[in-house]
Amino acid sequence: MSDWIDFYDLKHSVIYVNARHRDVHYRTIAEDIRAYVPSPTAHVLDYGCGEATSADLIATASAQLVLVEAAPNVRASLTMRYAGHPKIVVISAEQAAALPKASFDLIVMHSVAQYLGEAELDGLLTMFRALLKPGGLFVLGDIVPPHLAAPAAAFALLRFGAADGFFWAAAFGLVRIFVSDYLRLKKTVGLSHYTEVAMLERFKRAGFAAERAARNIGHNQHRMTFLARAL
Ligand SMILES: C[S@@+](CC[C@H](N)C(=O)[O-])C[C@H]1O[C@@H](n2cnc3c(N)ncnc32)[C@H](O)[C@@H]1O
């Protein structure tokens, strides 16, 4: 599903209705991820981090933060943003696959699984299991359930906009998403959806003990976050 990587590799992704939305979005996610950092000595990996404009919030709470981004232009801009940051390293998906085993206390992949085929997701679960230290935690966020995903996402965005002062931009942004490549890619390449039961089964097959978190990371509570530890 690499077309989704191209879709996200734009200077101004249509997914964010304006700069305020992008920054509030990434701050919300960073605050939620920070709550999972187990200690200030923790090594953390954020896979498919996107523009990650608030990654320093996570880095401040940990010893090292590795940001993995497959889209080359997004990665280049992350590299510039965090150049010289003492705790943040930016790498590609290929470099992540070559990292030493048992390197991380916390691995997060948020709002990426819907863009992966099932075999691709299984491959990453296996990789993350190997990259986690014994007792480490894998957090899989923003899993999209099969029913009512689109209206729930639209409603959650409008509510997010109303709470944070960009309601009309959110409404306009929804129209822009509607006429963008998003719907074409959704039809041709597809988006992956999972029920809670199906995802728990997938974790089990990949050698994880997992449970659904009480709330999803970010603003859309129709979607699910899972907490998993290697068996
Ligand atoms: C919606 S953004 C999520 C960014 C960030 N994690 C967040 O929650 O805002 C989706 C991300 O998935 C990444 N992505 C899409 N398809 C991918 C694939 N096949 N392999 C790795 N990353 C992928 C994109 O590059 C993009 O950064």
Side-chain angles (χ1 to χ4, degrees), residues 4-13 22 49-52 68-82 90-94:
W4 284 116
I5 298 180
D6 296 340
F7 175 79
Y8 277 102
D9 201 25
L10 298 172
K11 191 154 191 278
H12 300 292
S13 172
R22 184 198 64 182
C49 62
E51 296 175 47
V68 183
E69 179 48 57
N73 290 318
V74 178
R75 190 168 65 248
S77 111
L78 282 168
T79 304
M80 271 169 59
R81 181 185 291 273
Y82 295 115
V90 179
I91 63 172
S92 66
E94 292 74 19

Side-chain angles (χ1 to χ4, degrees), residues 30 33 42 45 51 54 60 66 123 135 137 167 189-190 209-210:
I33 294 175
L45 180 89
E51 296 175 47
S54 288
T60 304
V66 178
L137 176 68
F167 176 82
V189 184

Side-chain angles (χ1 to χ4, degrees), residues 171-187:
F172 175 71
L174 281 173
V175 176
R176 206 172 52 149
I177 290 168
F178 199 75
V179 297
S180 78
D181 265 359
Y182 191 87
L183 290 191
R184 183 184 64 76
L185 284 171
K186 193 176 158 190
K187 276 196 196 118

